[in-house]
């Protein structure tokens, strides 16, 4: 993450007065919070939060008419900086350099829980599905409907689709390790039936997480301000579909405050996407 | 509607219901091949009006009843 050490002139102008008050204390300490839960303004913000961060990272911030969106307007609220004396009305600073997006003052405090992991692996040999269906336990095979054996195991509770090519899809695990372990168990079942099964190219293809922000959300407002990323058709589906660009995650956001995140290849993308959306959702909290 | 299971399967999202809930946890194994279902259940009570039969293990083999299953391969 690039730390912008060259401060744009504007904020730097602010640094001196503060410097005078708090000797030797850099105003632009990474601890300085900026922007918690402020509603991205539609006017300047035609980008999603993530894109805005990108812009800021490039020092584009602080255009004349632009109120620094992600900044605190009151210094007094910053508790992170020791020796920080309040009072100064000029918009606070910190520009950008810090880690974009996540307001350093508070993360959401909510961790999305993983609900489903889909992974694939290549067993590396052709398989006779009928043999597998007849001899393995907990298997289904209906070639007229679907050309794979559907097998399930109880621990980890998962389902596998096993194809005659030797490729397999494993779904239903709640963690990456469980998905891998389950896939290995299926491979072992196939191996015990007499096939020379290997365990090639195991890859997690999709991860799904969910969480609850614990307040109701104005989806109508969200779709208006984030229309490039949102699709909300309550007559079709009660949730708003938010396609975040960075990271590339799709979120289903519901009026109740529950959020589903999917499309991740790694766990961190789920967490990152939620931290990105949380301040936006706070801005659309229903107050009635 | 009869093939909802497979509709989900082709999406790669198979449900866990058969293991989670079916037969209140007595299901040991199941199999479906050649349009024939085979179940093995443990600790089952068969209750009729007067009789009560308890068994440790029961194997159920079930085929399509009427002419609902087509024999022609697709």
């Amino acid at each position: 993450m690039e730390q912008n050490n060259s401060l744009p002139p504007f904020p730097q102008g602010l640094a001196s007065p503060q410097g005078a008050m708090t000797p030797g204390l850099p105003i632009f300490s990474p601890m300085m919070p900026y922007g918690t839960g402020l509603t991205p303004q539609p006017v300047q913000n035609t980008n999603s939060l993530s894109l805005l961060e990108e812009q800021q990272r490039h020092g584009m911030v602080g255009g004349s008419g632009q109120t620094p969106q992600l900044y605190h307007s009151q210094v007094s609220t910053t508790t992170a900086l020791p020796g920080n004396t309040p009072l100064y009305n000029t918009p606070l600073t910190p520009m950008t350099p810090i880690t974009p997006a996540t307001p350093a003052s508070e993360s959401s405090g909510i961790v999305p829980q993983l609900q489903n992991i889909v992974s694939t692996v290549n067993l590396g040999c052709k398989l006779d599905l009928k043999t597998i269906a007849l001899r393995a336990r907990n298997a289904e095979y209906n070639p007229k409907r679907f050309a794979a054996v559907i097998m399930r195991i109880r621990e980890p509770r998962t389902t596998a689709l096993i194809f005659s090519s030797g490729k397999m899809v494993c779904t239903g695990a709640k963690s990456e390790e469980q998905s891998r372990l389950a896939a290995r168990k299926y491979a072992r079942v196939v191996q015990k039936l007499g096939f020379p099964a290997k365990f090639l190219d195991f890859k997690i293809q999709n991860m799904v997480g969910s969480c609850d922000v614990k307040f109701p959300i104005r989806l109508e407002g969200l779709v208006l301000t984030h229309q490039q990323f949102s699709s909300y058709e309550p007559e079709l589906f009660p949730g708003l579909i938010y396609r975040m660009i960075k990271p590339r995650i799709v979120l289903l956001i519901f009026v109740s405050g529950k959020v589903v995140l999917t499309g991740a290849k790694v766990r961190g993308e789920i967490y990152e996407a939620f931290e990105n959306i949380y301040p936006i959702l706070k801005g659309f909290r229903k107050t009635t | 509607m009869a093939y909802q299971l497979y509709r989900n399967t082709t999406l790669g999202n198979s449900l866990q219901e058969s293991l989670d809930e079916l037969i209140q946890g007595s299901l040991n194994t199941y199999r479906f091949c050649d349009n024939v279902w085979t179940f093995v259940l443990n600790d089952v009570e068969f209750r009729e009006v007067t009789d009560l039969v308890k068994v440790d293990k029961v194997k159920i083999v079930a085929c399509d009843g009427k002419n609902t299953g087509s024999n022609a391969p697709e």
Side-chain angles (χ1 to χ4, degrees):
Chain A
M1 186 96 51
E2 60 163 349
Q3 293 282 341
N4 188 353
N5 291 324
S6 61
L7 309 172
F10 174 68
Q12 199 142 36
L14 297 179
S16 8
Q18 182 142 61
M21 294 177 179
T22 56
L25 194 64
I27 191 175
F28 305 120
S29 134
M31 293 283 289
M32 175 81 83
Y34 65 90
T36 40
L38 294 179
T39 312
Q41 300 301 319
V43 178
Q44 68 229 22
N45 204 357
T46 48
N47 300 323
S48 81
L49 188 60
S50 312
L51 284 185
L52 183 58
E53 306 161 30
E54 295 274 14
Q55 285 182 342
Q56 289 175 338
R57 216 181 291 140
H58 290 96
M60 278 174 55
V61 129
S64 51
Q66 211 178 29
T67 11
Q69 283 314 309
L70 302 183
Y71 304 162
H72 273 306
S73 50
Q74 300 285 341
V75 180
S76 50
T77 55
T78 53
T79 48
L81 263 196
N84 191 7
T85 35
L87 318 193
Y88 53 69
N89 299 1
T90 40
L92 234 279
T93 33
M95 45 295 71
T96 348
I98 332 181
T99 17
T102 21
S105 63
E106 54 192 283
S107 65
S108 60
I110 303 170
V111 180
Q113 296 305 301
L114 291 180
Q115 301 293 349
N116 183 26
I117 314 260
V118 177
S119 58
T120 54
V121 71
N122 185 359
L123 301 179
C125 62
K126 294 268 175 278
L127 303 175
D128 179 13
L129 297 187
K130 185 130 172 214
T131 308
I132 295 177
L134 284 173
R135 294 174 54 202
R137 292 164 169 248
N138 301 322
E140 294 166 53
Y141 181 45
N142 195 355
K144 286 186 317 186
R145 284 298 133 189
F146 190 56
V149 167
I150 302 151
M151 194 183 299
R152 294 183 175 86
I153 57 174
R154 289 185 156 99
E155 185 53 53
R157 192 170 292 277
T158 49
T159 302
L161 308 177
I162 304 172
F163 294 85
S164 55
S165 62
K167 293 200 173 161
M168 180 171 80
V169 179
C170 174
T171 67
K174 302 280 194 199
S175 82
E176 305 90 321
E177 257 325 291
Q178 282 188 8
S179 192
R180 192 186 184 92
L181 174 64
R184 289 202 99 101
K185 289 193 177 182
Y186 289 112
R188 188 158 63 239
V189 167
V190 170
Q191 202 178 51
K192 283 191 180 166
L193 291 179
F195 299 94
K198 300 186 267 296
F199 198 74
L200 310 173
D201 307 321
F202 175 81
K203 180 177 178 200
I204 291 184
Q205 302 288 355
N206 186 29
M207 303 177 70
V208 181
S210 71
C211 56
D212 186 358
V213 301
K214 302 275 202 289
F215 55 78
I217 302 171
R218 287 181 286 118
L219 298 183
E220 202 48 67
L222 180 55
V223 74
L224 286 177
T225 50
H226 287 78
Q227 56 203 26
Q228 297 94 319
F229 312 99
S230 314
S231 133
Y232 178 45
E233 296 281 341
E235 296 183 4
L236 286 185
F237 185 65
L240 183 150
I241 302 164
Y242 191 104
R243 296 181 186 274
M244 193 175 285
I245 311 266
K246 186 180 177 311
R248 203 166 76 85
I249 297 284
V250 174
L251 299 88
L252 305 180
I253 304 167
F254 296 88
V255 173
S256 59
K258 298 256 187 351
V259 179
V260 174
L261 307 95
T262 185
K265 288 277 194 283
V266 292
R267 182 187 283 250
E269 286 172 356
I270 299 263
Y271 296 155
E272 188 186 343
F274 182 68
E275 291 303 317
N276 284 347
I277 203 77
Y278 187 67
I280 297 174
L281 296 182
K282 281 206 289 190
F284 286 98
R285 180 178 191 145
K286 257 194 207 168
T287 47
T288 47
Chain B
M1 175 192 134
Y3 299 106
Q4 254 168 17
L5 165 68
Y6 298 105
R7 224 168 278 144
N8 282 342
T9 306
T10 39
L11 292 178
N13 297 323
S14 299
L15 305 175
Q16 313 302 320
E17 283 151 6
S18 59
L19 277 185
D20 288 345
E21 298 165 22
L22 203 55
I23 317 176
Q24 288 125 7
S26 305
L27 180 67
N28 190 330
T29 62
Y30 65 88
R31 174 176 293 116
F32 181 69
C33 195
D34 293 328
N35 273 340
V36 175
W37 279 102
T38 308
F39 300 100
V40 176
L41 310 177
N42 292 116
D43 300 323
V44 187
E45 278 185 11
F46 292 93
R47 216 173 279 132
E48 213 185 342
V49 190
T50 49
D51 311 322
L52 178 64
V53 182
K54 287 194 184 175
V55 289
D56 289 333
K57 177 178 170 185
V58 60
K59 182 182 248 183
I60 298 176
V61 181
C63 314
D64 273 340
K66 307 184 177 180
N67 242 354
T68 52
S70 137
N71 282 330
E74 269 183 1

